[in-house]
Amino acid sequence: MPFTVHDIPDQTGKLAVITGATGGLGYETALALAGARATVVLTGRNPQKGADALARIRTIHPHADISYETLDLTRLASVEDFARRFSAAHDHLDLLVNNAGVMMPPTRQTTADGFELQFETNYLSHFALTARLVPLLSAARGRVVTLSSIMARRGKIHFDDLQLASGYTPQAAYGQSKLACLMFARELQARSDAAGLGISSFGAHPGISSTNLIENGMGQGSIAARMKPLTGMFFQSPAAGALPTLYAATSPDAVPGGYYGPDGFMEMRGAPT
């Protein structure tokens, strides 16, 4: 039978952190984990959106153990600040979901740290966050789920120009960042095994989901306009898109080092596999 939220094992006593959890896939992941009785820390850049997300989850799960923390993945200083605060408040972490992302802004943008926007937001800051939280993850023998994309297949690591300072295209930058995320997920498992850290690392992707990621990333440009009519035909809901992440995060059958996504045509939609 296909995996659904009803198959999530009881998460009582489990502590989870989800990046980009105020909307889309991250919100659906937080909602499902809260419903399974995990203690969930939602993170994002906008405190008002964080408050709104908490209120929506509590409407569905009144007794949910949830909170919000500000974490801006476009600034490594914010990553450091969050990790320091979280580590001071907790002695373990059962689950880290590296979910937040930026998708294909039409023009090249750089962060306050000077990195290409997608490379830092999608990959570098999640690398830094995970590294800072390794002691807590190891203490719990926890799981890390890092979101990749079907576009990782077309991705290439531009070692001679990681920031794509020359020849930037939205697709090249996004594909590179998501391939880097998948490589990181696999390498983290290898490093955990070699060092005996006890951390289980997974990659996951949502297929193509009708979240606001496309619109927010591409703006109202021609690519976004062309894709919008296709949402009902090919795209799946954010709740369905979150299922591969939830499978990797909770299923006893998920294999460390594995990569999970939809089982349908071209992995665009379907049940986790």
Side-chain angles (χ1 to χ4, degrees):
M1 293 293 290
F3 178 88
T4 73
V5 293
H6 302 295
D7 298 309
I8 297 174
D10 181 69
Q11 299 293 296
T12 299
K14 301 286 189 180
L15 174 62
V17 169
I18 306 168
T19 68
T22 60
L25 299 169
Y27 169 80
E28 295 294 342
T29 302
L31 176 65
L33 290 174
R37 302 183 183 276
T39 297
V40 184
V41 179
L42 292 74
T43 74
R45 293 191 297 172
N46 187 317
Q48 184 56 58
K49 288 185 177 180
D52 291 344
L54 294 179
R56 297 201 312 272
I57 292 173
R58 287 184 176 126
T59 296
I60 300 169
H61 301 299
H63 302 295
D65 187 356
I66 53 177
S67 60
Y68 169 82
E69 293 283 346
T70 298
L71 171 57
D72 183 354
L73 295 172
T74 69
R75 298 190 304 113
L76 288 171
S78 178
V79 175
E80 171 66 17
D81 180 62
F82 170 82
R84 183 172 55 249
R85 287 185 286 111
F86 189 86
S87 297
H90 303 279
D91 62 3
H92 75 284
L93 176 59
D94 297 283
L95 174 62
L96 172 62
V97 180
N98 291 323
N99 165 83
V102 175
M103 183 177 180
M104 294 190 286
T107 59
R108 185 178 184 274
Q109 301 176 40
T110 56
T111 66
D113 298 316
F115 296 109
E116 190 273 320
L117 178 64
Q118 295 177 88
F119 195 68
E120 177 164 3
T121 305
N122 299 351
Y123 168 62
L124 281 181
S125 285
H126 281 130
F127 180 104
L129 177 65
T130 305
R132 290 295 187 186
L133 297 177
V134 158
L136 302 188
L137 289 160
S138 183
R141 302 187 68 82
R143 297 190 185 198
V144 178
V145 182
T146 300
L147 272 287
S148 184
S149 164
I150 56 175
M151 284 195 66
R153 289 180 178 179
R154 301 175 62 184
K156 174 185 176 183
I157 307 299
H158 298 262
F159 288 107
D160 57 342
D161 184 16
L162 283 173
Q163 307 309 318
L164 294 174
S166 61
Y168 172 88
T169 68
Q171 295 87 350
Y174 184 70
Q176 171 177 255
S177 72
K178 286 301 183 178
L179 177 57
C181 286
L182 182 53
M183 294 167 68
F184 170 60
R186 292 182 64 85
E187 184 65 15
L188 176 59
Q189 186 61 54
R191 298 293 179 105
S192 175
D193 291 343
L197 297 176
I199 297 171
S200 296
S201 175
F202 305 84
H205 78 85
I208 305 181
S209 295
S210 55
T211 70
N212 59 6
L213 185 63
I214 294 174
E215 196 165 290
N216 287 348
M218 298 176 184
Q220 301 299 322
S222 60
I223 299 176
R226 289 198 303 269
M227 293 183 75
K228 205 161 191 178
L230 302 176
T231 56
M233 190 183 310
F234 293 111
F235 294 12
Q236 58 184 0
S237 69
L243 288 176
T245 297
L246 290 164
Y247 182 88
T250 67
S251 174
D253 297 324
V255 178
Y259 184 35
Y260 294 93
D263 65 357
F265 176 68
M266 295 182 66
E267 300 182 33
M268 291 192 295
R269 59 189 300 162
T273 190

